[in-house]
Amino acid sequence: MHVTITPAPSATWERYRDLRLAALAESPEMFGSTLRRESAFGDDVWRSRSTHPGAFIASIDGEDVGIGGVYDMSGRWVVNGVWVAPDHRGQGAVDALMVACVDYVSSRGADTIHLGVMESNPRGIAAYTRLGFTPDGASETFPDGRIEIMMSRPVATGGAEHPGKRSPSD
């Protein structure tokens, strides 16, 4: 089993779209959008979204299985939209996506990377903790009552400090 990360701009926009829609269909409560909303997007929107240089597609043995990216949000680098297909969780895709995000942020001189994870996602919290993220004390409560925990970790600049190694139990 081999995980490959492809920058979304290098992939076809259809691959990016298909993974994002699969994520919204499988785990709608983990995202700030809906399948209905994004299914209505035209090709031009998907082409534009897939050109962001900090967006990545994870593949295992040639099959697209995950998506994620990192974005500059007012001078703060934030991981966003991470999802891995249920049948491929625990196989290294999240680790590889985080390495790509850390490398991208490091190459831009950032010293910290941030993310938000739903409190109702203990597997995600455990994965991000294993990868060196710690709660930074901030959270957001959504109108429907869901709580997003904000986490961060340092980034080594000039040569990325890669997230933690996988353990056999992951």
Side-chain angles (χ1 to χ4, degrees):
M1 173 175 1
H2 178 71
V3 179
T4 303
I5 297 297
T6 304
S10 299
T12 64
W13 61 270
E14 292 98 339
R15 289 172 62 198
Y16 181 85
R17 176 203 59 207
D18 292 350
L19 285 165
R20 176 67 179 180
L21 294 177
L24 290 167
E26 192 275 326
S27 299
E29 69 285 358
M30 299 301 159
F31 298 95
S33 190
T34 65
L35 178 62
R36 181 179 182 153
R37 176 179 173 265
E38 295 195 18
S39 292
F41 289 169
D43 293 352
D44 58 328
V45 172
W46 289 111
R47 281 187 187 98
S48 174
R49 283 180 148 207
S50 70
T51 61
H52 175 64
F56 304 99
I57 293 173
S59 305
I60 295 179
D61 296 333
E63 179 184 354
D64 291 341
V65 300
I67 191 169
V70 62
Y71 303 86
D72 182 353
M73 297 184 177
S74 302
R76 182 177 151 127
W77 288 98
V78 180
V79 174
N80 197 7
V82 176
W83 175 82
V84 174
D87 292 349
H88 297 286
R89 291 178 184 157
Q91 298 177 12
V94 166
D95 300 59
L97 285 165
M98 289 301 103
V99 166
C101 289
V102 167
D103 283 350
Y104 184 83
V105 168
S106 175
S107 73
R108 277 140 186 89
D111 60 4
T112 306
I113 188 168
H114 307 270
L115 60 80
V117 59
M118 293 298 177
E119 183 180 59
S120 60
N121 184 359
R123 186 176 179 135
I125 293 168
Y128 295 131
T129 299
R130 176 178 51 76
L131 294 169
F133 288 87
T134 58
D136 63 17
S139 65
E140 180 178 347
T141 301
F142 290 85
D144 62 6
R146 292 177 302 144
I147 298 171
E148 182 178 46
I149 299 167
M150 303 311 293
M151 302 178 82
S152 61
R153 62 159 279 179
V155 172
T157 56
E161 174 187 325
H162 289 145
K165 294 184 179 179
R166 300 187 39 71
S167 67
S169 63
D170 294 327

